[in-house]
Amino acid sequence: MNNEMISGFTATTTRDVLSQPERKQSVTQPLAPMPEVLFVTSYPPRECGIATYSQDLIKALRSQFHRSFSLRICALEAGQMNYEYPEDVKFVLDTHDPAQYRTLSAAINKDPRIHSVLIQHEFGFFHQAGEEVFLQFLYSLSKPVVVVFHTVLPHPQESRRMHMRSIAAASDAVIVMTANASDILLEQYGVADDKIRVIPHGTHLVPHLDKNVLKEKYDLAGKKVLSTFGLLGSGKSIETTLDALPAIVSNHPDVVFLVIGKTHPGVIKEEGERYREMLKARVQSLGLEQNVRFVNRYLSLEELLEYLQLTDIYLFTSKDPHQAVSGTFSYAMSCGCPIVSTPIPHAKEMLSPDNSIVIDFQQSGQLTEAVNRLLGDERLLTEFSNNILQRIVPTAWENSAIAHAMLMSEIGIINHSSAAFQLQYRIPDFNLGHFNKITTPIGMVQFCKINQPDLASGYTLDDNARALIAACMYYELHKKKDALDMIRTYLNFVGYCQQSDGRFLNYVDEKGDFTPQNSETNLEDANGRAIWALGYVISRGALLPADITSSAEQIMQQAFPILHGIHSTRAMAFIIKGLYYCNLYKESQMYTHLVDQFATRMANMYHRESDAEWNWYEPYLTYANAVLPEAMLCAWVVTGKMEYRQVAKSSFDFLHGHIFTETGIKAISNKSWMKKGEQPELHGEQPIDIAYAVLALFTFFQVFRSQEYADKLKTAFNWFLGQNHLRHILYNPCTGGCYDGLEASHVNLNQGAESTVSYLLARCTLEKYERLYGR
């Protein structure tokens, strides 16, 4: 019997049921204009923390979403500054000129493209024209308005309190960056709770490069590096660190303190470089010329993040107790810097005793003690670094972009004059950086600590079999030669794990030796995954070099004798998929017989367990659920038995009823499986379950051509990009890795083999869908 390749690029008609996939015809149609969000903010080349903040947020929004909205800017200037702006700057507002506020509001109101306005608010921006002018501007706008408060002062005077309340009243929503600021607005300013959104200051994902390599690059080899950065001014109280340094250097002579950043333009205007010169004089008087470096320039983002990644301890010594938030502080956290900080509200909210040390304002003695403690305990430094990353990663710019986009869409509903826009996630380009990083000549390493391979965790057949499939899928799409090297590595590992009787072992240590765990664990599922992977390789015989497919065929032939004795539900499903793929390449009665044998067992399990409300093979939903109905559908394609098709669809639709919601997909929790007749536990979602759902949805779409399956395929993939209950990314576009799990309140930041391969399987499947059927 002929078969259709329901997971590949080609198909042949069989049994008058399946039709040839047709490539979507490209029809040129005019694109509807996208709704426009206008940012009112300072903007580069103006040197200002909020300018950089807005630039980073806009970049993240454009990177995260596709054809959802356009972003334009109204650049704020303090007087006639005559900057040369990029093309996306639509307006320029001289905040000192009251007449320009009226002109701007009229232009915004008349422009049908502008959907909403997002205003970055700092008191220094608008005070010259007068607070009433800014309020009149807000009240005159007919478009939805969101105001971002960068400063929220506690215990305000009545005039300040009323002014902030008026701003909030004129806005559809206000954003603050800390829960503390939200509490102050609520309790001290009387702003309504439903007006306030907390969206933390965004931070950059970083690759966490080798610290020693970076120190060599910046002429800091062998040094213990302390650093601080930002536009320099007396409020940073750099002298607190300088006065602490002599006692630090006496214990750690190899310490270097980096003061990174130019002097703030506002400070230059008022007093020139007086503060910097005072600091330099103090360095000389303390004899610290070999221990302090001033990096007096405006750094590129890449260079700044490298300085922070090489930093051993970041020092934040602001003397302003009302500084609500600090972008510099956030950037240091994103690079995993252990921090010694004064107790600004942002520090009190983000830091804890397991990731930092908080000292009192202008207390050099406390700073000395804190730094000496950390530099004297390498284990504690590493622990602080790991913990601070776990604390800060939810604030990644990608997550901030999702929160902002959802809010701006939501206020389109609040304001009857503007409709909500539909958010479409932008599909990331392929990035195999982490995939390659965790692959050694032996195979793919099992676990990672953050994004660093944990060689001590060894290797598994499970991971390398999945990696073999993912590498083949990637090669199908891109035909890149280096993918063939990966395929050979993973295939060799599969062959290495095969024993003389045909069965496979699963666990291999870092030296390449099999571990005792192989005799303590049921290995049927691992054996099933090996057959799936081998079958996939064999089915690509027309594409892959002959040495690869012939090696896979030899391993498969040796494994046949052990297949009959396998009864694990998922192992049988994996085997069915593997044999289905073998049959695509060369039809065989033996393949058909084995598929029928396993499918009959699974169908019997289904009929035994299913009832009016439970259409499943077992009395519980556990892991890798989607592979079971997908295998039954493959069995129908191979055998033509309608029973298998009916069981496949019934069970697949049943599974959908438990994992898809109105807002996305929620995998079955790995904390306690969903048992028949019981309410499932929430959270504890694994990337592997999402990947298997994507694979199955593609298979079901090819057979049934139901748009529902196509839509759910995209929805499931978007789980990796932030369409989940936390609205946080699981795929890390910086490293190319994927986080290990989605918990109730956080993401597991480790980027191990299973999760990283799962993402690539899902990404390749989506690419196949789009190439065959269009977006």
Side-chain angles (χ1 to χ4, degrees):
M1 177 180 296
N2 292 327
N3 298 296
E4 178 177 14
M5 185 182 290
I6 58 177
S7 293
F9 289 100
T10 62
T12 55
T13 302
T14 178
R15 301 180 62 85
D16 299 319
V17 178
L18 306 177
S19 61
Q20 178 81 14
E22 296 180 1
R23 294 186 181 276
K24 187 174 182 180
Q25 298 297 314
S26 61
V27 179
T28 302
Q29 295 179 341
L31 294 173
M34 291 184 292
E36 187 174 290
V37 179
L38 181 69
F39 276 64
V40 180
T41 178
S42 57
Y43 203 69
R46 182 174 177 178
E47 293 178 358
C48 163
I50 293 176
T52 303
Y53 169 91
S54 293
Q55 184 182 50
D56 288 338
L57 175 57
I58 289 169
K59 181 180 178 181
L61 283 162
R62 288 173 173 160
S63 175
Q64 198 70 14
F65 296 99
H66 169 74
R67 287 212 55 80
S68 302
F69 42 74
S70 66
L71 303 175
R72 301 297 296 274
I73 298 131
C74 171
L76 301 178
E77 293 188 351
Q80 295 295 326
M81 304 178 83
N82 297 318
Y83 291 119
E84 291 189 10
Y85 292 109
E87 290 183 358
D88 49 5
V89 172
K90 186 171 186 172
F91 305 108
V92 175
L93 173 65
D94 177 359
T95 56
H96 293 184
D97 182 355
Q100 290 197 23
Y101 289 83
R102 294 189 292 273
T103 303
L104 177 61
S105 66
I108 291 171
N109 292 338
K110 290 178 182 177
D111 192 332
R113 293 165 296 184
I114 296 178
H115 165 280
S116 47
V117 182
L118 182 69
I119 301 173
Q120 305 294 332
H121 179 275
E122 185 61 83
F123 290 106
F125 280 166
F126 305 109
H127 75 282
Q128 286 289 343
E131 294 178 347
E132 289 306 313
V133 171
F134 178 67
L135 276 177
Q136 289 169 7
F137 167 72
L138 285 180
Y139 277 104
S140 69
L141 292 175
S142 61
K143 305 295 177 77
V145 176
V146 174
V147 173
V148 183
F149 286 131
H150 285 260
T151 299
V152 180
L153 297 175
H155 314 298
Q157 295 180 348
E158 182 62 15
S159 60
R160 173 64 56 82
R161 189 177 78 88
M162 293 305 298
H163 180 63
M164 293 280 278
R165 285 188 64 176
S166 296
I167 293 175
S171 307
D172 292 276
V174 297
I175 295 173
V176 292
M177 299 182 195
T178 66
N180 177 70
S182 175
D183 291 341
I184 292 172
L185 278 183
L186 187 67
E187 297 167 7
Q188 299 182 29
Y189 288 84
V191 175
D193 185 44
D194 61 1
K195 276 282 183 83
I196 305 171
R197 302 290 193 279
V198 178
I199 303 179
H201 192 295
T203 55
H204 294 279
L205 296 172
V206 296
H208 301 290
L209 303 173
D210 186 285
K211 191 184 293 283
N212 292 324
V213 171
L214 290 175
K215 286 183 178 181
E216 287 274 1
K217 177 178 178 178
Y218 290 98
D219 193 27
L220 290 163
K223 302 296 184 181
K224 294 292 186 183
V225 178
L226 316 177
S227 74
T228 193
F229 90 94
L231 295 172
L232 194 61
S234 61
K236 292 189 177 294
S237 192
I238 303 299
E239 60 272 20
T240 298
T241 300
L242 297 182
D243 291 343
L245 273 179
I248 295 171
V249 171
S250 67
N251 286 324
H252 304 281
D254 54 352
V255 158
V256 172
F257 174 44
L258 304 178
V259 183
I260 304 168
K262 294 174 64 175
T263 301
H264 195 290
V267 174
I268 292 285
K269 186 175 181 180
E270 293 293 326
E271 61 180 49
E273 291 283 14
R274 186 170 64 192
Y275 181 64
R276 184 183 296 273
E277 294 304 318
M278 181 276 289
L279 294 176
K280 288 181 176 180
R282 187 165 298 194
V283 168
Q284 279 192 317
S285 68
L286 293 171
L288 295 171
E289 293 92 335
Q290 301 304 310
N291 303 98
V292 179
R293 295 186 193 176
F294 290 90
V295 184
N296 184 12
R297 52 195 176 87
Y298 200 76
L299 302 181
S300 69
L301 177 62
E302 180 182 3
E303 194 174 10
L304 171 61
L305 294 177
E306 287 187 348
Y307 267 116
L308 292 174
Q309 287 175 81
L310 65 79
T311 293
D312 293 290
I313 304 173
Y314 185 78
L315 305 178
F316 185 83
T317 54
S318 168
K319 60 184 180 182
D320 179 4
H322 301 310
Q323 184 175 350
V325 68
S326 167
T328 63
F329 177 90
S330 299
Y331 282 30
M333 291 182 73
S334 73
C335 292
C337 297
I339 293 177
V340 176
S341 174
T342 50
I344 67 167
H346 194 186
K348 288 192 284 188
E349 187 164 315
M350 296 296 292
L351 303 182
S352 59
D354 68 349
N355 62 30
S356 60
I357 298 175
V358 177
I359 62 172
D360 293 325
F361 294 104
Q362 298 179 285
Q363 293 298 312
S364 297
Q366 292 180 23
L367 192 147
T368 297
E369 182 180 349
V371 170
N372 281 334
R373 177 190 169 199
L374 289 173
L375 291 181
D377 190 338
E378 192 67 34
R379 181 198 61 79
L380 187 61
L381 270 177
T382 300
E383 181 182 319
F384 273 24
S385 179
N386 290 337
N387 291 342
I388 213 159
L389 280 174
Q390 185 68 63
R391 185 73 180 88
I392 197 63
V393 160
T395 70
W397 279 117
E398 289 77 2
N399 295 334
S400 179
I402 294 169
H404 279 85
M406 293 188 68
L407 174 58
M408 300 309 289
S409 181
E410 175 188 327
I411 65 167
I413 300 172
I414 295 172
N415 187 309
H416 63 84
S417 65
S418 184
F421 41 69
Q422 298 298 312
L423 297 178
Q424 299 181 52
Y425 288 88
R426 183 181 295 278
I427 306 304
D429 293 335
F430 283 89
N431 176 1
L432 267 60
H434 191 63
F435 205 86
N436 291 323
K437 183 175 184 176
I438 60 178
T439 298
T440 74
I442 293 176
M444 181 168 282
V445 178
Q446 183 176 193
F447 296 136
C448 284
K449 296 177 179 177
I450 309 297
N451 70 328
Q452 300 303 315
D454 181 8
L455 293 177
S457 69
Y459 308 83
T460 68
L461 175 63
D462 289 333
D463 293 328
N464 282 271
R466 284 186 291 254
L468 177 56
I469 297 168
C472 283
M473 293 175 75
Y474 179 79
Y475 181 73
E476 283 182 78
L477 294 166
H478 300 284
K479 308 297 189 298
K480 292 191 175 179
K481 188 177 179 181
D482 54 355
L484 292 176
D485 296 332
M486 292 191 293
I487 290 170
R488 290 188 174 95
T489 296
Y490 307 136
L491 181 59
N492 288 341
F493 186 91
V494 173
Y496 175 73
C497 289
Q498 190 171 43
Q499 305 303 291
S500 59
D501 61 357
R503 66 190 176 90
F504 298 87
L505 299 183
N506 190 30
Y507 301 100
V508 176
D509 68 18
E510 62 182 309
K511 297 178 181 178
D513 298 325
F514 293 110
T515 73
Q517 195 173 356
N518 287 296
S519 60
E520 301 164 356
T521 307
N522 188 315
L523 301 181
E524 285 196 357
D525 285 5
N527 278 252
R529 290 186 188 93
I531 300 303
W532 173 27
L534 292 167
Y536 195 90
V537 174
I538 292 167
S539 73
R540 271 51 185 170
L543 176 71
L544 296 171
D547 66 296
I548 291 176
T549 52
S550 63
S551 176
E553 288 173 343
Q554 290 173 12
I555 299 169
M556 178 73 88
Q557 289 296 325
Q558 191 174 345
F560 278 135
I562 61 103
L563 298 184
H564 295 277
I566 289 179
H567 289 81
S568 161
T569 314
R570 280 152 190 77
M572 292 191 294
F574 290 130
I575 291 170
I576 289 172
K577 288 185 66 175
L579 295 174
Y580 158 76
Y581 283 117
C582 286
N583 210 51
L584 286 177
Y585 185 61
K586 183 185 293 185
E587 291 184 19
S588 163
Q589 287 300 315
M590 180 178 64
Y591 298 150
T592 302
H593 174 72
L594 281 170
V595 167
D596 194 31
Q597 175 183 321
F598 287 121
T600 297
R601 290 180 190 174
M602 291 181 63
N604 289 339
M605 295 173 66
Y606 173 84
H607 292 308
R608 184 169 58 248
E609 292 295 342
S610 65
D611 56 34
E613 298 186 1
W614 187 265
N615 300 321
W616 199 245
Y617 310 83
E618 301 162 316
Y620 38 71
L621 290 168
T622 59
Y623 69 97
N625 296 297
V627 74
L628 305 186
E630 185 190 11
M632 293 301 288
L633 196 59
C634 290
W636 167 68
V637 174
V638 173
T639 68
K641 290 188 177 182
M642 287 300 296
E643 177 192 9
Y644 301 156
R645 183 182 191 274
Q646 292 162 359
V647 168
K649 189 168 192 320
S650 175
S651 58
F652 197 48
D653 291 347
F654 167 79
L655 177 62
H656 284 188
H658 290 283
I659 63 175
F660 279 96
T661 69
E662 291 183 358
T663 57
I665 188 172
K666 290 185 69 68
I668 300 299
S669 172
N670 70 342
K671 297 186 180 299
S672 65
W673 307 124
M674 178 182 172
K675 298 178 178 64
K676 187 175 183 179
E678 297 182 8
Q679 289 297 314
E681 184 171 339
L682 300 177
H683 313 306
E685 300 175 53
Q686 302 297 300
I688 188 67
D689 288 305
I690 306 300
Y692 284 156
V694 170
L695 289 167
L697 283 159
F698 182 56
T699 300
F700 273 77
F701 173 78
Q702 287 196 296
V703 171
F704 294 100
R705 301 299 169 88
S706 165
Q707 188 60 40
E708 178 188 1
Y709 290 142
D711 292 342
K712 285 181 175 178
L713 186 157
K714 297 171 189 175
T715 296
F717 182 79
N718 286 343
W719 180 90
F720 291 101
L721 308 183
Q723 191 175 341
N724 50 61
H725 78 270
L726 286 183
R727 301 298 179 186
H728 288 177
I729 56 169
L730 271 292
Y731 170 67
N732 183 322
C734 176
T735 64
C738 180
Y739 298 131
D740 278 354
L742 183 69
E743 305 299 336
S745 60
H746 68 280
V747 169
N748 182 334
L749 297 186
N750 296 324
Q751 298 166 48
E754 179 180 291
S755 55
T756 295
V757 172
S758 295
Y759 172 79
L760 186 58
L761 286 170
R763 178 67 183 88
C764 288
T765 302
L766 181 63
E767 186 79 4
K768 282 186 178 183
Y769 170 83
E770 291 185 341
R771 290 193 184 187
L772 283 172
Y773 305 106
R775 292 180 181 270

